[in-house]
Amino acid sequence: MNVSWFDGSAMYQIFPLGLCDAPHENSWDWSNTWNAATRPVRRVDRILNWIDHLKKLGINSIFFNPVLQSDTHGYNTRDFYTLDSRLGSNEDFAEVCQALHDNGFRLVFDALFNHVGRGFWAFRDVRNNMQNSRFIDWFRGIDFKRNTPCNDGFYYKAWKDNWDFPELNLDNEEVIEHIFGAIRKWEDLYRFDGLHLCLAEYLPKRFIKRIRKYCSEMGAGLGGSIAFVAEVFDSIDCSPYLSRSLAQSSVNQELRNSFCDSFNKNNIYELAYTLNRQFGPDGIYKNVPMMNFLDNHNYPRFETAMERKELVPLGWSLLPALPGFPCIYYGSEWGVEGYSTEDHWAMRPAFEKPEWNQLTSCIQKAFEARKNSPALRYGTYKQIFQAKEQLVFERESCGEKIVVALNISEYDYKVPMKPGKGFGAFEGIWGDYDELLSETECHYDGDFYLPPLSVMFLRKK
């Protein structure tokens, strides 16, 4: 697997249409035959209010959900070449991206190429000109002998039968060249550092390989090559989309689900199994910088998902200690609540500026420890103890060894010593350690006590 800057990333996810308080539906100007865009309204500057907050939090990369011209929520694209006019102009966003790069942030853009919206300029041409349109072959399954519930007078292949999403024909060379031209323009304007390939399992692998090869010839915003993270939406195993010619990383939905299930059931075994399956000695992702998250625009906020609110800080503290890299969805660092509704805007709230509270400080400490520890950023994963409500594992790299201990129970727990190998074996903890989160020194003579409701990062001296 190619090494990318993802390995050392601490990422922050922003949904700009939500954060910047854009109208939920885009306006139309039918005299604009290209993308029907109205005059841009510069709202995107609100992102600049987050710079100091993110630097203090320890973030070094930002993942932007859709920013391109769309009909409503961003995923029904009208135009790959233009910023959504509800956010501003291309030049407005270029200035914001430059400011973010100047402050050391790498930028990842959402890239949805599986389908577009009904307002996409070429699809509108088919609707207006029917059999006379030269863009019929840009879309999958167009049939003028059939109709759709939208009564277009023709049928088309829609993603999962959602008629808001006409599927692009990615076997059409003209479509591919159009997409490549858009990527080239994004790089020229915004100097992005990575692409998040939405719905990667619905994209032909030959198409992903061509994008990867094409982007390898362009320089990333802060240097190096453009990195790729795949969104594998409907599959547990992301491995088929991870290779030297495909994506370097994937969104880790399986880990998020096992996290929430284990915490809510007060049973850590599922999480322990998932971590070992993914990152252990024979782990399927042991050399992959997976994007680990606890919530995002498609999932309930972690604060909402947790039945025991006292476990929220533990989850956010543990996340940066795991192999891969952590990603925070905007607002979750100060405990915003929310869950998905039919229109999803509840998960894309507007904020004038960020907040800081006790939870934010807790997350900051964990991110700071990760930043200063090669073992936590790049190290191997070795599980050394697990019980129903406790988990202890070891990360090691560059001569540094970190023992990470989790206790989700409300009581002190003494890890029982059991020499030997196999399940339940534990040789004890010996010697002097620095506990990185509390910044205290610890000494152990075998016996290992875990405080109630705690996460510890123990660095061997």
Side-chain angles (χ1 to χ4, degrees), residues 198-378:
C198 293
L199 307 176
E201 73 261 56
Y202 295 94
L203 297 172
K205 287 184 180 177
R206 61 185 179 277
F207 175 73
I208 299 176
K209 289 179 180 179
R210 287 189 63 178
I211 295 179
R212 177 77 182 272
K213 184 175 184 297
Y214 179 75
C215 289
S216 69
E217 300 168 1
M218 296 188 290
L222 289 185
S225 61
I226 292 170
F228 279 74
V229 55
E231 178 194 45
V232 182
F233 201 77
D234 290 330
S235 175
I236 292 178
D237 188 354
C238 306
S239 299
Y241 304 92
L242 299 167
S243 72
R244 292 183 180 274
S245 60
L246 296 170
Q248 295 147 299
S249 174
S250 180
V251 179
N252 200 343
Q253 302 187 68
E254 181 192 13
L255 179 60
R256 181 266 171 196
N257 292 337
S258 66
F259 230 115
C260 291
D261 287 346
S262 290
F263 275 39
N264 280 333
K265 295 174 182 176
N266 297 323
N267 188 333
I268 217 72
Y269 284 116
E270 181 180 347
L271 177 60
Y273 169 82
T274 299
L275 287 170
N276 201 52
R277 173 182 177 271
Q278 292 190 346
F279 305 117
D282 298 314
I284 59 175
Y285 308 136
K286 71 173 185 177
N287 296 316
V288 179
M290 295 291 283
M291 180 195 285
N292 302 324
F293 68 99
L294 297 180
D295 54 27
N296 62 26
H297 60 298
N298 290 319
Y299 289 88
R301 297 278 186 172
F302 191 58
E303 185 84 26
T304 302
M306 286 297 94
E307 297 172 7
R308 294 171 58 197
K309 302 303 182 186
E310 65 269 23
L311 298 185
V312 171
L314 304 188
W316 285 116
S317 295
L318 185 64
L319 191 70
L322 303 179
F325 64 93
C327 184
I328 299 178
Y329 189 48
Y330 76 106
S332 289
E333 72 270 26
W334 68 84
V336 168
E337 297 218 34
Y339 60 91
S340 297
T341 61
E342 285 191 6
D343 65 5
H344 299 293
W345 285 101
M347 292 303 299
R348 303 159 189 183
F351 299 116
E352 184 68 36
K353 58 183 180 180
E355 298 180 21
W356 196 281
N357 58 19
Q358 187 174 356
L359 177 61
T360 324
S361 294
C362 173
I363 296 172
Q364 179 195 37
K365 288 183 179 179
F367 273 61
E368 181 69 18
R370 181 180 185 276
K371 176 183 177 182
N372 295 322
S373 168
L376 292 180
R377 293 198 308 278
Y378 315 116

Side-chain angles (χ1 to χ4, degrees), residues 123-137 142-146 152-155:
F123 189 76
R124 287 193 298 113
D125 189 272
V126 177
R127 292 175 64 196
N128 292 335
N129 297 307
M130 304 295 280
Q131 289 95 331
N132 294 322
S133 173
R134 82 169 194 84
F135 299 107
I136 293 172
D137 289 340
I142 287 189
D143 183 353
F144 289 99
K145 296 179 182 179
R146 303 169 62 188
D152 293 298
F154 61 92
Y155 180 87

Side-chain angles (χ1 to χ4, degrees), residues 67-88:
V67 296
L68 301 176
Q69 192 72 258
S70 71
D71 295 342
T72 53
H73 46 61
Y75 291 108
N76 40 18
T77 311
R78 286 187 195 173
D79 175 11
F80 288 128
Y81 284 68
T82 309
L83 188 78
D84 197 300
S85 55
R86 291 170 289 174
L87 296 173

